Amino acid sequence: MSGETTAVIRGRVRGLVQLRHTERRTPAARFTVMQVPREYDRTRGQWRDGEPVPVICTVTGPLARHAAECLTDAVHVIATGNLALRAGLLHLDSAQVGVDLAHHVAYIDDTLPAVLAGRAPAPAPRAAAAPEPAPHAEPRPAAAPAATPADDWWQSPPRHSWDAVTAPSRSGR
C-alpha cells in the first residue's frame, strides 16, 4: 500500500501479550509498548525523559507465537512496522519485533546453553588438580609477546570519553 508510514520504536512492553487466532487459525498477538522519548532541557543543560507514548503493536503468524512466548511485562523491545493513528491511539502493524540487546541477553535455540535447554545435566563442580611436574622438559620456543592492554580492547581500562577512541593512535597504526 502507498501512503503508509514506516516507523521504528524502542520501548518497554507494558502488560501482557494477548494471543488470539483468526477464523483461519492464523495466530495474532497484540501488546503495548511504552516509548519514552528523550528531550534536551536547555535550561538545565541535560537530557531528561519525556512524556511516555503508548503504541499498540499487532503481529501475526509465527511472529505472534514467538512474541507471546518470549515477551513479558517490562521487556525492552525494538519494533518496526507501519504506523497509523486510529481513534486517537498510535498503532504499529509490526513487521519485526526483537528484544533490545542494549538491555537484555537473548538466546536463540542454537545458542541456548544445554543446561537451560534441558538437554544436559549441570556439570558437577570439580576440584582443581595441581599440575604434575614434567620429569625432564625440553625448553619451549619463545611465545609471541602478549598484547599490551592498550592494544587489546577487552583488557584496556574503561575510557571516560570518546576522545580516546577517536583520537589518532600514538603508534601510527
Side-chain angles (χ1 to χ4, degrees):
M1 268 187 215
S2 63
E4 294 177 339
T5 302
T6 302
V8 176
I9 63 164
R10 291 180 64 195
R12 286 182 169 196
V13 173
R14 187 182 80 191
L16 299 175
V17 177
Q18 302 170 1
L19 180 65
R20 307 250 166 85
H21 291 82
T22 65
E23 297 82 26
R24 293 185 178 198
R25 308 195 61 77
T26 302
R30 185 179 206 175
F31 55 96
T32 302
V33 173
M34 294 300 288
Q35 182 175 7
V36 180
R38 301 283 290 162
E39 299 171 345
Y40 188 73
D41 186 348
R42 292 179 194 264
T43 59
R44 294 185 181 171
Q46 64 187 17
W47 289 91
R48 65 178 177 86
D49 289 342
E51 197 63 32
V53 177
V55 180
I56 299 170
C57 296
T58 305
V59 294
T60 58
L63 180 57
R65 284 194 306 271
H66 299 313
E69 186 172 333
C70 69
L71 298 182
T72 60
D73 188 42
V75 170
H76 290 264
V77 295
I78 301 173
T80 64
N82 296 321
L83 190 64
L85 183 64
R86 299 182 197 129
L89 295 172
L90 286 174
H91 288 260
L92 186 74
D93 295 326
S94 300
Q96 299 171 347
V97 176
V99 175
D100 189 347
L101 295 178
H103 299 277
H104 303 285
V105 173
Y107 294 105
I108 59 172
D109 295 338
D110 295 339
T111 64
L112 186 64
V115 172
L116 295 177
R119 293 188 305 258
R126 299 186 321 173
E132 295 181 19
H136 177 37
E138 294 184 18
R140 292 184 176 178
T148 63
D151 294 336
D152 185 4
W153 182 83
W154 289 104
Q155 300 297 322
S156 64
R159 296 183 171 114
H160 298 289
S161 75
W162 281 102
D163 295 339
V165 176
T166 58
S169 168
R170 284 180 264 172
S171 64
R173 283 188 269 169

